[in-house]
Protein backbone atom coordinates (compact mmCIF):
# COMPACT_ATOMS: atom_id res chain seq x y z
CA UNK A 1 0.00 0.00 0.00
CA UNK A 2 1.25 3.45 -0.86
CA UNK A 3 0.07 6.84 0.27
CA UNK A 4 -0.68 8.05 3.74
CA UNK A 5 -4.33 8.93 4.32
CA UNK A 6 -4.83 12.34 5.81
CA UNK A 7 -7.07 12.86 8.81
CA UNK A 8 -10.61 12.83 7.51
CA UNK A 9 -12.14 16.28 7.34
CA UNK A 10 -15.84 16.47 8.17
CA UNK A 11 -16.62 18.20 4.88
CA UNK A 12 -14.67 15.77 2.73
CA UNK A 13 -16.45 13.12 0.73
CA UNK A 14 -15.07 9.69 -0.13
CA UNK A 15 -13.92 8.99 -3.68
CA UNK A 16 -12.94 5.40 -4.44
CA UNK A 17 -11.17 4.63 -7.72
CA UNK A 18 -10.97 1.11 -9.16
CA UNK A 19 -7.96 1.07 -11.48
CA UNK A 20 -4.85 3.21 -11.69
CA UNK A 21 -4.08 3.67 -15.37
CA UNK A 22 -3.50 6.82 -17.37
CA UNK A 23 -7.16 7.90 -17.54
CA UNK A 24 -7.95 7.80 -13.79
CA UNK A 25 -4.53 9.31 -13.13
CA UNK A 26 -5.49 12.29 -15.29
CA UNK A 27 -8.84 12.56 -13.44
CA UNK A 28 -7.00 12.87 -10.13
CA UNK A 29 -4.49 15.40 -11.46
CA UNK A 30 -7.28 17.68 -12.65
CA UNK A 31 -9.41 17.12 -9.55
CA UNK A 32 -6.56 17.98 -7.20
CA UNK A 33 -5.92 21.16 -9.16
CA UNK A 34 -9.57 22.24 -9.07
CA UNK A 35 -10.66 21.00 -5.63
CA UNK A 36 -7.61 19.87 -3.63
CA UNK A 37 -9.44 19.55 -0.31
CA UNK A 38 -12.81 18.22 -1.42
CA UNK A 39 -12.20 14.47 -1.45
CA UNK A 40 -10.61 11.66 0.53
CA UNK A 41 -9.29 9.40 -2.20
CA UNK A 42 -8.66 5.64 -2.15
CA UNK A 43 -7.37 3.71 -5.16
CA UNK A 44 -7.41 -0.04 -5.77
CA UNK A 45 -4.96 -1.12 -8.46
CA UNK A 46 -4.80 -4.70 -9.73
CA UNK A 47 -1.21 -4.14 -10.86
CA UNK A 48 1.42 -4.18 -8.12
CA UNK A 49 2.95 -0.84 -9.14
CA UNK A 50 2.29 2.88 -9.45
CA UNK A 51 0.75 4.69 -12.43
CA UNK A 52 2.88 4.59 -15.58
CA UNK A 53 2.65 5.65 -19.22
CA UNK A 54 1.42 2.60 -21.13
CA UNK A 55 2.03 4.39 -24.42
CA UNK A 56 5.74 4.06 -23.64
CA UNK A 57 5.75 0.26 -23.24
CA UNK A 58 7.17 -0.13 -26.75
CA UNK A 59 10.30 1.94 -26.00
CA UNK A 60 10.77 -0.14 -22.83
CA UNK A 61 10.53 -3.33 -24.89
CA UNK A 62 13.00 -1.95 -27.45
CA UNK A 63 15.45 -0.94 -24.72
CA UNK A 64 15.08 2.79 -25.35
CA UNK A 65 13.53 3.55 -21.93
CA UNK A 66 13.40 2.03 -18.45
CA UNK A 67 10.31 1.60 -16.29
CA UNK A 68 11.41 4.44 -14.00
CA UNK A 69 11.43 6.76 -17.02
CA UNK A 70 7.78 6.05 -17.84
CA UNK A 71 6.34 6.43 -14.32
CA UNK A 72 3.67 9.17 -14.22
CA UNK A 73 2.94 9.23 -10.49
CA UNK A 74 5.55 7.78 -8.14
CA UNK A 75 4.89 6.76 -4.53
CA UNK A 76 5.76 10.24 -3.28
CA UNK A 77 2.96 11.78 -5.38
CA UNK A 78 0.30 9.71 -3.59
CA UNK A 79 1.85 10.46 -0.21
CA UNK A 80 2.03 14.18 -0.95
CA UNK A 81 -1.67 14.30 -1.80
CA UNK A 82 -2.82 12.03 1.02
CA UNK A 83 -4.10 9.37 -1.39
CA UNK A 84 -4.38 5.77 -0.21
CA UNK A 85 -3.16 3.41 -2.95
CA UNK A 86 -3.70 -0.34 -2.61
CA UNK A 87 -1.29 -2.01 -5.06
CA UNK A 88 -1.84 -5.49 -6.39
CA UNK A 89 -5.38 -5.47 -5.06
CA UNK A 90 -8.31 -6.45 -7.27
CA UNK A 91 -11.83 -5.26 -6.45
CA UNK A 92 -14.21 -8.21 -6.58
CA UNK A 93 -17.58 -6.65 -5.72
CA UNK A 94 -19.52 -3.41 -5.61
CA UNK A 95 -22.48 -3.12 -3.24
CA UNK A 96 -24.43 -0.21 -4.69
CA UNK A 97 -27.02 -0.20 -1.90
CA UNK A 98 -24.41 0.00 0.87
CA UNK A 99 -22.10 2.07 -1.38
CA UNK A 100 -19.07 -0.10 -0.69
CA UNK A 101 -16.40 -1.88 -2.69
CA UNK A 102 -14.77 -5.10 -1.56
CA UNK A 103 -11.32 -6.25 -2.65
CA UNK A 104 -9.98 -9.77 -3.08
CA UNK A 105 -8.25 -9.65 0.29
CA UNK A 106 -11.58 -8.94 2.00
CA UNK A 107 -10.92 -5.23 2.46
CA UNK A 108 -14.15 -3.20 2.22
CA UNK A 109 -14.39 0.59 1.95
CA UNK A 110 -17.31 2.97 1.62
CA UNK A 111 -17.68 5.56 -1.10
CA UNK A 112 -19.74 8.64 -1.81
CA UNK A 113 -18.65 8.57 -5.44
CA UNK A 114 -17.06 5.62 -7.21
CA UNK A 115 -14.91 5.78 -10.35
CA UNK A 116 -14.52 2.56 -12.34
CA UNK A 117 -11.42 2.51 -14.55
CA UNK A 118 -10.79 -1.18 -15.19
CA UNK A 119 -9.37 -0.66 -18.69
CA UNK A 120 -9.44 -3.34 -21.35
CA UNK A 121 -8.61 -6.99 -21.91
CA UNK A 122 -6.59 -8.33 -24.85
CA UNK A 123 -8.51 -10.34 -27.42
CA UNK A 124 -7.09 -13.86 -27.54
CA UNK A 125 -7.90 -15.86 -30.66
CA UNK A 126 -9.28 -19.18 -29.34
CA UNK A 127 -7.30 -21.35 -31.77
CA UNK A 128 -5.92 -24.71 -30.61
CA UNK A 129 -2.78 -24.12 -28.57
CA UNK A 130 -3.58 -20.58 -27.46
CA UNK A 131 -2.99 -21.53 -23.79
CA UNK A 132 0.50 -22.96 -24.38
CA UNK A 133 3.47 -21.50 -22.50
CA UNK A 134 5.10 -18.86 -24.67
CA UNK A 135 1.84 -17.36 -25.95
CA UNK A 136 1.57 -13.81 -24.63
CA UNK A 137 -0.56 -10.72 -25.02
CA UNK A 138 0.81 -7.16 -25.05
CA UNK A 139 -1.05 -4.90 -22.63
CA UNK A 140 1.04 -4.10 -19.56
CA UNK A 141 4.49 -4.11 -18.03
CA UNK A 142 4.19 -7.75 -16.96
CA UNK A 143 3.74 -8.68 -20.63
CA UNK A 144 6.86 -6.67 -21.53
CA UNK A 145 8.90 -8.40 -18.81
CA UNK A 146 7.76 -11.81 -20.11
CA UNK A 147 8.75 -10.83 -23.66
CA UNK A 148 12.16 -9.61 -22.54
CA UNK A 149 12.76 -12.91 -20.75
CA UNK A 150 11.77 -14.86 -23.86
CA UNK A 151 13.90 -12.63 -26.10
CA UNK A 152 17.06 -13.65 -24.24
CA UNK A 153 17.03 -16.85 -26.30
CA UNK A 154 17.21 -14.75 -29.51
CA UNK A 155 14.89 -17.32 -31.06
CA UNK A 156 11.90 -16.95 -33.36
CA UNK A 157 8.86 -14.81 -32.55
CA UNK A 158 5.52 -14.70 -34.37
CA UNK A 159 3.34 -11.64 -33.81
CA UNK A 160 -0.32 -12.17 -34.70
CA UNK A 161 -1.78 -8.81 -35.65
CA UNK A 162 -0.44 -6.02 -37.86
CA UNK A 163 -2.01 -3.09 -36.05
CA UNK A 164 -0.32 -0.51 -33.85
CA UNK A 165 0.50 -2.79 -30.93
CA UNK A 166 1.55 -5.72 -33.08
CA UNK A 167 4.01 -3.69 -35.12
CA UNK A 168 5.44 -2.02 -32.03
CA UNK A 169 5.90 -5.42 -30.39
CA UNK A 170 7.53 -6.79 -33.54
CA UNK A 171 9.97 -3.88 -33.76
CA UNK A 172 10.88 -4.18 -30.08
CA UNK A 173 11.51 -7.92 -30.28
CA UNK A 174 13.61 -7.44 -33.41
CA UNK A 175 15.70 -4.85 -31.55
CA UNK A 176 16.22 -7.50 -28.86
CA UNK A 177 17.68 -9.89 -31.44
CA UNK A 178 14.73 -12.14 -32.24
CA UNK A 179 13.78 -13.40 -35.70
CA UNK A 180 10.30 -11.88 -36.08
CA UNK A 181 7.36 -12.61 -38.37
CA UNK A 182 4.14 -10.55 -38.36
CA UNK A 183 0.89 -12.23 -39.41
CA UNK A 184 -1.99 -10.00 -40.48
CA UNK A 185 -5.42 -11.22 -41.52
CA UNK A 186 -6.19 -8.37 -43.95
CA UNK A 187 -4.34 -7.31 -47.15
CA UNK A 188 -2.59 -4.24 -45.68
CA UNK A 189 -1.18 -3.29 -42.28
CA UNK A 190 -2.91 -0.91 -39.86
CA UNK A 191 -6.02 -0.77 -42.01
CA UNK A 192 -7.91 1.16 -39.32
CA UNK A 193 -5.39 4.00 -39.36
CA UNK A 194 -3.98 3.92 -42.91
CA UNK A 195 -5.25 3.79 -46.45
CA UNK A 196 -3.98 0.84 -48.58
CA UNK A 197 -1.15 2.78 -50.23
CA UNK A 198 0.30 3.94 -46.92
CA UNK A 199 -0.18 0.43 -45.55
CA UNK A 200 1.94 -1.01 -48.36
CA UNK A 201 4.65 1.59 -47.77
CA UNK A 202 4.65 0.69 -44.10
CA UNK A 203 5.02 -3.01 -44.91
CA UNK A 204 8.05 -2.35 -47.12
CA UNK A 205 9.62 -0.24 -44.38
CA UNK A 206 8.99 -2.89 -41.74
CA UNK A 207 10.44 -5.60 -44.00
CA UNK A 208 13.52 -3.44 -44.65
CA UNK A 209 14.21 -3.68 -40.91
CA UNK A 210 14.44 -7.45 -41.11
CA UNK A 211 10.88 -8.28 -40.01
CA UNK A 212 8.96 -10.69 -42.22
CA UNK A 213 5.32 -9.73 -42.91
CA UNK A 214 2.65 -12.13 -44.14
CA UNK A 215 -0.69 -10.51 -44.95
CA UNK A 216 -4.00 -12.33 -45.52
CA UNK A 217 -2.66 -14.86 -43.01
CA UNK A 218 -5.33 -16.81 -41.14
CA UNK A 219 -3.95 -18.53 -38.03
CA UNK A 220 -5.26 -22.11 -37.74
CA UNK A 221 -3.39 -23.38 -34.67
CA UNK A 222 -0.46 -22.85 -32.34
CA UNK A 223 1.55 -26.06 -32.15
CA UNK A 224 3.54 -27.55 -29.31
CA UNK A 225 3.43 -30.03 -26.44
CA UNK A 226 3.95 -27.98 -23.28
CA UNK A 227 5.26 -24.80 -24.89
CA UNK A 228 4.83 -23.15 -28.26
CA UNK A 229 6.88 -24.65 -31.10
CA UNK A 230 5.21 -23.35 -34.28
CA UNK A 231 2.24 -21.50 -35.75
CA UNK A 232 0.16 -23.19 -38.44
CA UNK A 233 -1.76 -21.11 -40.98
CA UNK A 234 -4.98 -22.07 -42.74
CA UNK A 235 -3.08 -22.69 -45.99
CA UNK A 236 -0.87 -25.28 -44.27
CA UNK A 237 2.18 -23.05 -43.76
CA UNK A 238 4.07 -23.79 -40.53
CA UNK A 239 6.22 -21.11 -38.93
CA UNK A 240 8.67 -22.23 -36.20
CA UNK A 241 8.18 -20.11 -33.07
CA UNK A 242 9.61 -19.87 -29.56
CA UNK A 243 7.29 -16.97 -28.71
CA UNK A 244 3.85 -15.95 -29.99
CA UNK A 245 2.40 -12.50 -29.31
CA UNK A 246 -1.36 -12.01 -29.67
CA UNK A 247 -1.98 -8.40 -30.69
CA UNK A 248 -5.30 -8.58 -32.50
CA UNK A 249 -7.21 -6.02 -30.47
CA UNK A 250 -8.78 -5.23 -27.12
CA UNK A 251 -12.22 -5.32 -25.54
CA UNK A 252 -13.55 -3.28 -22.61
CA UNK A 253 -13.03 -4.89 -19.21
CA UNK A 254 -16.62 -4.33 -18.11
CA UNK A 255 -17.12 -7.39 -15.91
CA UNK A 256 -17.10 -5.51 -12.60
CA UNK A 257 -19.74 -3.09 -13.86
CA UNK A 258 -21.84 -5.96 -15.18
CA UNK A 259 -21.81 -7.88 -11.90
CA UNK A 260 -22.73 -4.68 -10.06
CA UNK A 261 -25.87 -4.41 -12.19
CA UNK A 262 -24.83 -1.36 -14.22
CA UNK A 263 -25.98 -0.95 -17.81
CA UNK A 264 -23.35 -2.62 -19.99
CA UNK A 265 -23.14 -3.01 -23.76
CA UNK A 266 -19.72 -3.46 -25.30
CA UNK A 267 -18.45 -1.46 -22.34
CA UNK A 268 -19.90 0.14 -19.22
CA UNK A 269 -22.45 2.58 -20.59
CA UNK A 270 -22.05 6.21 -19.59
CA UNK A 271 -23.75 9.44 -20.60
CA UNK A 272 -22.06 12.65 -21.73
CA UNK A 273 -21.26 13.45 -18.08
CA UNK A 274 -19.44 10.09 -17.85
CA UNK A 275 -22.02 8.85 -15.33
CA UNK A 276 -23.13 5.24 -15.41
CA UNK A 277 -26.72 4.11 -14.86
CA UNK A 278 -25.99 4.70 -11.16
CA UNK A 279 -25.60 8.45 -10.52
CA UNK A 280 -23.02 7.77 -7.79
CA UNK A 281 -20.73 5.86 -10.15
CA UNK A 282 -18.59 7.31 -12.93
CA UNK A 283 -16.53 5.27 -15.40
CA UNK A 284 -13.56 6.27 -17.54
CA UNK A 285 -11.17 4.86 -20.10
CA UNK A 286 -11.15 1.73 -22.21
CA UNK A 287 -13.84 0.02 -20.09
CA UNK A 288 -16.39 2.67 -21.15
CA UNK A 289 -19.00 2.88 -23.91
CA UNK A 290 -20.19 6.37 -24.84
CA UNK A 291 -23.08 6.72 -27.30
CA UNK A 292 -22.27 3.30 -28.74
CA UNK A 293 -18.54 3.96 -29.11
CA UNK A 294 -15.55 2.55 -27.24
CA UNK A 295 -12.11 4.15 -27.33
CA UNK A 296 -8.53 2.96 -27.07
CA UNK A 297 -6.50 6.05 -27.93
CA UNK A 298 -5.32 8.32 -25.15
CA UNK A 299 -6.80 11.63 -26.40
CA UNK A 300 -10.49 10.72 -25.89
CA UNK A 301 -9.64 9.03 -22.59
CA UNK A 302 -8.09 12.26 -21.35
CA UNK A 303 -11.17 14.16 -22.55
CA UNK A 304 -13.30 11.79 -20.45
CA UNK A 305 -10.99 12.42 -17.50
CA UNK A 306 -11.42 16.18 -17.88
CA UNK A 307 -15.21 15.79 -17.77
CA UNK A 308 -15.18 13.63 -14.63
CA UNK A 309 -12.78 15.93 -12.79
CA UNK A 310 -14.98 18.89 -13.64
CA UNK A 311 -18.09 17.08 -12.40
CA UNK A 312 -16.43 16.05 -9.15
CA UNK A 313 -15.37 19.68 -8.71
CA UNK A 314 -18.96 20.92 -8.96
CA UNK A 315 -19.08 21.83 -12.67
CA UNK A 316 -22.39 20.47 -13.98
CA UNK A 317 -22.02 21.83 -17.53
CA UNK A 318 -18.93 20.08 -18.93
CA UNK A 319 -19.72 17.12 -21.19
CA UNK A 320 -17.81 14.63 -23.32
CA UNK A 321 -17.51 15.66 -26.96
CA UNK A 322 -16.23 13.20 -29.54
CA UNK A 323 -13.44 14.77 -31.62
CA UNK A 324 -11.26 13.77 -34.55
CA UNK A 325 -8.50 11.37 -33.53
CA UNK A 326 -4.86 11.15 -34.57
CA UNK A 327 -2.48 8.19 -34.54
CA UNK A 328 1.31 7.87 -34.62
CA UNK A 329 3.33 4.68 -34.78
CA UNK A 330 5.82 4.54 -31.90
CA UNK A 331 8.66 2.77 -33.70
CA UNK A 332 12.00 4.52 -33.91
CA UNK A 333 12.85 5.57 -37.45
CA UNK A 334 9.34 5.13 -38.89
CA UNK A 335 7.37 8.34 -39.43
CA UNK A 336 3.67 7.68 -39.72
CA UNK A 337 0.67 9.85 -38.89
CA UNK A 338 -3.04 9.61 -39.61
CA UNK A 339 -5.96 11.71 -38.43
CA UNK A 340 -9.67 12.21 -38.91
CA UNK A 341 -11.76 10.51 -41.57
CA UNK A 342 -9.72 9.44 -44.59
CA UNK A 343 -12.04 6.80 -46.07
CA UNK A 344 -12.61 7.33 -49.78
CA UNK A 345 -16.09 8.39 -50.89
CA UNK A 346 -17.97 10.02 -53.75
CA UNK A 347 -18.68 13.07 -51.57
CA UNK A 348 -15.01 13.86 -50.93
CA UNK A 349 -11.82 14.53 -52.86
CA UNK A 350 -8.11 14.14 -52.23
CA UNK A 351 -4.83 15.97 -52.59
CA UNK A 352 -2.04 13.37 -52.87
CA UNK A 353 1.75 13.63 -52.90
CA UNK A 354 3.82 10.56 -53.80
CA UNK A 355 7.61 10.45 -53.67
CA UNK A 356 8.61 6.78 -53.99
CA UNK A 357 12.34 7.52 -53.97
CA UNK A 358 12.09 9.04 -50.49
CA UNK A 359 9.25 6.73 -49.42
CA UNK A 360 7.08 9.76 -48.75
CA UNK A 361 3.31 9.66 -49.13
CA UNK A 362 0.84 12.37 -48.14
CA UNK A 363 -2.91 12.30 -48.63
CA UNK A 364 -5.31 15.02 -47.52
CA UNK A 365 -9.04 14.35 -47.68
CA UNK A 366 -11.55 17.16 -48.17
CA UNK A 367 -15.32 17.32 -47.93
CA UNK A 368 -17.40 20.42 -48.66
CA UNK A 369 -14.23 22.51 -48.73
CA UNK A 370 -13.07 21.31 -45.28
CA UNK A 371 -10.09 19.17 -44.41
CA UNK A 372 -11.52 16.08 -42.70
CA UNK A 373 -8.69 13.56 -42.81
CA UNK A 374 -5.01 13.02 -43.49
CA UNK A 375 -2.49 10.21 -43.92
CA UNK A 376 1.22 11.08 -43.79
CA UNK A 377 4.04 8.59 -44.24
CA UNK A 378 7.76 9.32 -44.32
CA UNK A 379 7.36 13.03 -43.61
CA UNK A 380 5.09 13.79 -40.66
CA UNK A 381 6.48 17.14 -39.60
CA UNK A 382 3.20 18.91 -40.40
CA UNK A 383 1.08 16.34 -38.57
CA UNK A 384 0.21 18.50 -35.55
CA UNK A 385 -0.63 21.52 -37.71
CA UNK A 386 -2.78 19.48 -40.08
CA UNK A 387 -4.55 17.84 -37.15
CA UNK A 388 -5.40 21.24 -35.65
CA UNK A 389 -6.93 22.27 -38.99
CA UNK A 390 -9.04 19.11 -39.07
CA UNK A 391 -10.25 19.83 -35.55
CA UNK A 392 -11.09 23.45 -36.37
CA UNK A 393 -13.52 22.47 -39.14
CA UNK A 394 -12.77 25.64 -41.12
CA UNK A 395 -13.14 25.97 -44.88
CA UNK A 396 -10.24 26.50 -47.27
CA UNK A 397 -10.08 29.37 -49.72
CA UNK A 398 -6.42 28.81 -50.64
CA UNK A 399 -4.28 26.17 -52.32
CA UNK A 400 -4.53 22.60 -51.10
CA UNK A 401 -1.14 21.86 -52.63
CA UNK A 402 0.35 24.70 -50.58
CA UNK A 403 -0.95 23.00 -47.46
CA UNK A 404 0.59 19.74 -48.65
CA UNK A 405 4.02 21.37 -48.90
CA UNK A 406 3.86 23.01 -45.50
CA UNK A 407 2.57 26.50 -46.23
CA UNK A 408 -0.03 28.06 -43.95
CA UNK A 409 -3.51 27.72 -45.49
CA UNK A 410 -5.93 30.49 -46.21
CA UNK A 411 -9.11 29.91 -44.21
CA UNK A 412 -12.59 31.32 -44.63
CA UNK A 413 -13.71 33.66 -41.89
Amino acid sequence: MSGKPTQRHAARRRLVVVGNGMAPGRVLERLLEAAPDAWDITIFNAESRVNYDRIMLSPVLAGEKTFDQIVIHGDSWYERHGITLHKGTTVTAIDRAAKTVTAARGHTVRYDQLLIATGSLPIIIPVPGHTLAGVLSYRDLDDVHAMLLAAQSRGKAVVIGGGLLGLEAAAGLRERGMDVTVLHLLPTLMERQLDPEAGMLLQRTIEARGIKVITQANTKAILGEKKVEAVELADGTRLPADLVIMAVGIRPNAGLGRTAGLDVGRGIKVDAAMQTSDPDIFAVGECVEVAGDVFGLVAPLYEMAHVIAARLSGDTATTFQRKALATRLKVSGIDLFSAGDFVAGSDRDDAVLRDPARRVYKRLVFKDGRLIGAVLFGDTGDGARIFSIIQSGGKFVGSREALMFGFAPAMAA
Side-chain angles (χ1 to χ4, degrees), residues 90-404:
T90 302
V91 169
T92 56
I94 298 170
D95 186 331
R96 291 166 53 197
K99 298 184 72 170
T100 62
V101 299
T102 299
R105 299 174 184 174
H107 189 58
T108 298
V109 297
R110 291 186 56 242
Y111 66 84
D112 295 302
Q113 289 285 330
L114 176 65
L115 173 59
I116 300 176
T118 46
S120 62
L121 298 170
I123 295 173
I124 303 298
I125 307 171
V127 295
H130 73 277
T131 60
L132 285 170
V135 179
L136 302 173
S137 58
Y138 182 30
R139 291 299 299 154
D140 57 30
L141 193 67
D142 290 336
D143 295 328
V144 171
H145 285 161
M147 285 189 232
L148 291 175
L149 185 63
Q152 291 177 4
S153 68
R154 295 182 178 270
K156 297 181 181 296
V158 173
V159 178
I160 303 175
L164 273 171
L165 283 178
L167 296 180
E168 290 172 7
L173 292 170
R174 181 61 182 158
E175 286 293 320
R176 295 290 183 171
M178 297 199 80
D179 181 338
V180 183
T181 300
V182 174
L183 305 179
H184 194 53
L185 185 61
L186 296 175
T188 58
L189 299 174
M190 286 183 61
E191 72 287 343
R192 292 184 179 179
Q193 293 86 17
L194 301 179
D195 60 16
E197 188 162 352
M200 288 302 299
L201 279 171
L202 176 60
Q203 180 174 337
R204 293 184 200 129
T205 304
I206 291 287
E207 289 173 333
R209 307 185 94 179
I211 299 170
K212 185 177 181 181
V213 177
I214 304 176
T215 57
Q216 296 179 288
N218 189 3
T219 303
K220 179 182 179 181
I222 300 171
L223 309 178
E225 292 296 326
K226 294 184 178 180
K227 67 179 294 295
V228 60
E229 297 173 9
V231 175
E232 182 179 6
L233 304 183
D235 64 4
T237 301
R238 289 194 177 190
L239 303 168
D242 304 293
L243 175 67
V244 173
I245 307 299
M246 291 266 194
V248 296
I250 58 174
R251 58 184 175 85
N253 184 9
L256 184 63
R258 184 177 290 107
T259 57
L262 300 176
D263 288 347
V264 174
R266 287 193 294 162
I268 300 171
K269 291 185 176 182
V270 295
D271 60 16
M274 304 308 299
Q275 282 187 318
T276 68
S277 53
D278 184 325
D280 295 320
I281 302 177
F282 291 92
V284 69
E286 293 176 335
C287 67
V288 160
E289 178 182 332
V290 189
D293 292 323
V294 296
F295 299 91
L297 296 177
V298 71
L301 306 191
Y302 278 176
E303 176 67 19
M304 295 176 188
H306 170 72
V307 172
I308 294 172
R311 294 281 170 162
L312 291 173
S313 304
D315 176 353
T316 60
T318 301
T319 57
F320 177 76
Q321 305 291 328
R322 179 167 184 171
K323 299 176 181 177
L325 302 177
T327 299
R328 287 185 184 272
L329 182 64
K330 296 178 292 298
V331 174
S332 177
I334 297 179
D335 295 320
L336 180 156
F337 175 88
S338 69
D341 180 2
F342 51 82
V343 178
S346 58
D347 62 342
R348 51 193 68 185
D349 57 296
D350 300 351
V352 179
L353 169 66
R354 296 179 178 88
D355 187 345
R358 294 195 302 131
R359 288 189 176 177
V360 170
Y361 171 75
K362 297 183 179 183
R363 176 168 166 252
L364 306 180
V365 182
F366 299 86
K367 180 179 179 180
D368 299 327
R370 293 178 170 85
L371 178 63
I372 64 168
V375 178
L376 309 178
F377 186 90
D379 179 3
T380 62
D382 285 334
R385 183 174 62 90
I386 287 172
F387 184 44
S388 69
I389 295 169
I390 292 172
Q391 290 181 306
S392 74
K395 281 199 172 187
F396 283 95
V397 294
S399 166
R400 297 175 179 183
E401 287 71 22
L403 174 62
M404 183 78 74

